[in-house]
């Protein structure tokens, strides 16, 4: 059965939030899965390729409007935040655009896609 699956693509998708940290963007789960697959699938099927597409690796960030379901949080975080972090002053989209991800998927042409 695995002989039919020669190209596997694991995707770390973009996300939206107030902030991002290095540990949040590290694709640890996908690395575990890729490692397991490399050790076990390749025993059964020679030539299987496993690729991780990490949409967060380039540190792209775009400011977004706070979603309506999170607007209540503004009551808890003042506009004049003088802390060194300013965690809740803006809402962001982190990662590659879905169009760029789709272009990569089409160019890689995987048999299976896994998304974190």
């Amino acid at each position: 059965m695995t002989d039919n699956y020669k190209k596997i693509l694991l995707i770390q998708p973009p996300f939206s939030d107030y902030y991002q940290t290095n540990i949040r963007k590290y694709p640890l789960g996908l690395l575990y899965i890729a490692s397991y697959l490399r050790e076990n699938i390749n025993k059964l099927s020679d030539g299987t390729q496993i690729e991780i597409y990490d949409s967060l690796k380039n540190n792209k960030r775009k400011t977004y409007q706070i979603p309506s379901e999170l607007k209540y949080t503004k009551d808890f975080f003042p506009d004049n935040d003088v802390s060194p972090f300013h965690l809740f002053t803006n809402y962001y989209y982190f990662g590659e655009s879905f169009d760029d991800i789709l272009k990569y998927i089409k160019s890689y042409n995987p048999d299976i896609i896994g998304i974190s």
Side-chain angles (χ1 to χ4, degrees):
M1 182 174 171
T2 58
D3 292 278
N4 297 330
Y5 306 117
K6 295 292 184 183
K7 292 177 89 176
I8 299 171
L9 179 61
L10 303 175
I11 299 174
Q12 173 83 337
F15 69 93
S16 298
D17 204 342
Y18 287 102
Y19 65 94
Q20 172 176 273
T21 62
N22 286 336
I23 195 69
R24 288 180 84 188
K25 69 179 188 173
Y26 193 72
L28 187 59
L30 293 179
L31 292 168
Y32 284 141
I33 292 169
S35 176
Y36 176 85
L37 292 174
R38 286 184 181 116
E39 287 180 21
N40 293 285
I41 286 184
N42 286 334
K43 292 176 186 172
L44 303 172
S45 174
D46 269 347
T48 299
Q49 298 174 24
I50 301 164
E51 178 83 22
I52 294 177
Y53 181 87
D54 184 358
S55 76
L56 303 173
K57 72 179 175 189
N58 292 329
N59 295 317
K60 289 187 177 182
R61 178 177 86 170
K62 222 191 262 186
T63 304
Y64 265 25
Q65 185 174 7
I66 297 173
S68 59
E69 61 270 12
L70 295 178
K71 292 231 188 238
Y72 73 93
T73 61
K74 292 301 271 179
D75 295 337
F76 300 99
F77 305 104
D79 290 332
N80 60 348
D81 182 4
V82 294
S83 74
F85 305 110
H86 304 284
L87 292 179
F88 297 95
T89 54
N90 290 309
Y91 195 78
Y92 301 100
Y93 175 90
F94 298 101
E96 301 288 335
S97 71
F98 286 109
D99 288 337
D100 289 341
I101 295 169
L102 184 58
K103 285 178 195 172
Y104 186 83
I105 291 170
K106 288 178 178 180
S107 70
Y108 187 70
N109 194 25
D111 297 307
I112 297 177
I113 298 173
I115 301 173
S116 172

